[in-house]
Amino acid sequence: MHVEVYQAKADFFRTLGHPARIRVLELLQEGPLPVRDLLAQIDIEASSLSQQLAVLRRAGIVSAIREGSTVVYTLATPELATLLGTARRILTDMLADQGELLAELRAEVT
């Protein structure tokens, strides 16, 4: 068994395990954005956004390019958008199943 591979995968998913990071990635699916635009669309302090962007940068999930005094972020690979879309579909299916179960439980009460 290649423990290193599984550890790398676990580290990757752990990096994605923060709501602000997920929101950043969702916003970057539309294309590169400067930090000021990310900050305007995410309800966190600038210092917290900076920390989350640094985590994503160190992991190689986003890339940063300086354009004058502005730093612009982009997804490191388009496959990240595919991953987020797949996660959204899986979550939607899971919640739909839970909704059906909830409806059945409510029907039993009445």
Side-chain angles (χ1 to χ4, degrees):
M1 175 162 55
H2 297 281
V3 175
E4 298 86 16
V5 171
Y6 297 115
Q7 185 63 51
K9 288 178 182 181
D11 291 344
F12 172 76
F13 283 107
R14 193 175 303 111
T15 299
L16 298 179
H18 191 283
R21 292 182 212 142
I22 295 295
R23 183 68 180 127
V24 165
L25 297 177
E26 287 178 345
L27 291 169
L28 293 178
Q29 288 180 97
E30 303 299 319
L33 287 172
V35 173
R36 69 176 174 274
D37 290 357
L38 291 169
L39 191 56
Q41 296 186 56
I42 302 174
D43 189 28
I44 60 174
E45 297 293 324
S47 60
S48 181
L49 177 59
S50 178
Q51 291 171 350
Q52 301 310 324
L53 288 168
V55 169
L56 292 170
R57 249 189 352 263
R58 280 191 304 271
I61 293 173
V62 299
S63 300
I65 300 168
R66 183 168 292 281
E67 295 179 358
S69 62
T70 302
V71 179
V72 177
Y73 283 87
T74 187
L75 294 179
T77 176
E79 284 81 9
L80 288 163
T82 303
L83 176 66
L84 292 170
T86 300
R88 188 177 300 109
R89 285 189 298 280
I90 291 168
L91 185 57
T92 299
D93 290 346
M94 291 171 61
L95 292 173
D97 290 344
Q98 290 177 6
E100 291 170 14
L101 176 61
L102 179 59
E104 288 177 29
L105 289 171
R106 285 184 175 154
E108 288 178 4
V109 173
T110 58

